[in-house]
Amino acid sequence: MKFLIIISAAVCFVAAQDFDCPDKNGFYGDPYQCDLYYKCTKGKAETRLCPDGLVFADENPNKELCDIPSNVDCGDRKELQEPKPSKGCPRQNGYFRHPDPQACDKFYFCSDGVPNEHPCPPGLFFDEETSNCDWKDSVPRQCDKVTKDVLDDGFTCPDGEVQGPNGRALPHPTFPHPEDCQKFYICRNGVQPQKGSCPSGKVYNEDTFMCDDAEKVSGCENYFEGQSQDKNKLPKKA
């Protein structure tokens, strides 16, 4: 790794010597490499390199900006620095398709080599060309069976939209736990399941999609009886 860094620095040094700065001070892109650019001061070039995965936006010489490739028109600047991959990240920074070929509705956001999994909104697939989620028909990917996330207790987010009390689709619908009145499930963006729990003294009301008083929820009226004697043993649904 140290050897690669030394070689890269030497190449950049030579490039800086050969780059002709314009009369105006500012930041200018390399004519061949999209993530390489120069800070020009009084005709002298100082070599700079975007973080791995980002490229230099050369529209305005007064701004020093590295951005994701889908936001920058590199034109003839086709070359890039050698990638520095890590687990889940082809490059250190950027948006990338999920390694599971059937997980078209998920993607990884990588920051400094650390991957973070994110779901697309329901009905959308991740498009690596634009780094956005788009309608399935607009994304050139084949997913015969989209992989669903499953919690350790077997819960998965059901298909289809969930209508709230006002008749509108809930962006992050919730669902009751089958046995425990105080617990529930959250489906982030309708597809990513998470566990949830109501605060002390409240139970989940599946009619309002909110936590409520136990006496207002059928089957949970006696949920908190006896808890003062045994707080670690919560009663389940009647």
Side-chain angles (χ1 to χ4, degrees):
M1 183 61 69
K2 290 183 179 179
F3 177 76
L4 291 177
I5 292 175
I6 293 172
I7 293 296
S8 297
V11 172
C12 291
F13 176 76
V14 173
Q17 302 303 312
D18 294 338
F19 185 76
D20 292 327
C21 284
D23 294 334
K24 183 180 178 181
N25 293 343
F27 302 94
Y28 298 92
D30 183 82
Y32 306 106
Q33 185 171 329
C34 200
D35 52 9
L36 178 66
Y37 65 102
Y38 307 93
K39 179 183 179 182
C40 287
T41 306
K42 296 181 179 179
K44 293 185 178 180
E46 175 189 337
T47 300
R48 299 198 174 185
L49 190 64
C50 291
D52 179 38
L54 306 182
V55 295
F56 180 67
D58 64 346
E59 293 87 357
N60 187 345
N62 295 320
K63 292 184 177 181
E64 184 179 14
L65 176 62
C66 291
D67 204 345
I68 58 175
S70 59
N71 289 341
V72 179
D73 182 7
C74 287
D76 294 330
R77 299 181 294 148
K78 305 296 186 183
E79 297 179 12
L80 295 171
Q81 63 183 288
E82 287 293 322
K84 304 176 181 66
S86 59
K87 186 176 180 180
C89 296
R91 288 187 178 271
Q92 292 286 295
N93 301 276
Y95 297 87
F96 304 98
R97 69 164 58 196
H98 198 282
D100 182 348
Q102 291 298 317
C104 290
D105 57 345
K106 301 179 183 67
F107 62 93
Y108 277 144
F109 168 66
C110 294
S111 178
D112 294 328
V114 179
N116 296 279
E117 185 183 87
H118 294 275
C120 288
L124 304 185
F125 282 175
F126 178 69
D127 187 344
E128 199 167 22
E129 291 295 322
T130 63
S131 298
N132 287 313
C133 294
D134 205 344
W135 297 110
K136 298 177 183 179
D137 294 340
S138 302
V139 180
R141 298 181 64 178
Q142 294 294 326
C143 287
D144 301 325
K145 186 178 181 181
V146 176
T147 304
K148 282 190 172 185
D149 290 340
V150 183
L151 296 181
D152 56 9
D153 61 3
F155 177 81
T156 60
C157 293
D159 295 327
E161 295 183 340
V162 176
Q163 302 296 323
N166 58 4
R168 295 181 180 179
L170 296 175
H172 311 290
T174 55
F175 301 89
H177 191 279
E179 297 181 338
D180 196 317
C181 287
Q182 197 170 18
K183 297 179 181 179
F184 59 94
Y185 300 102
I186 309 167
C187 285
R188 301 291 180 187
N189 295 309
V191 295
Q192 187 175 29
Q194 294 181 3
K195 295 180 180 180
S197 181
C198 292
S200 178
K202 299 287 184 180
V203 298
Y204 178 76
N205 189 334
E206 59 184 301
D207 293 328
T208 62
F209 305 98
M210 299 176 65
C211 294
D212 207 342
D213 296 327
E215 59 267 21
K216 296 180 181 179
V217 180
S218 177
C220 297
E221 296 89 346
N222 302 321
Y223 180 80
F224 292 103
E225 287 185 4
Q227 284 196 39
S228 58
Q229 287 77 22
D230 189 356
K231 293 183 179 179
N232 295 322
K233 188 175 181 181
L234 296 179
K236 297 181 179 181
K237 282 188 174 181

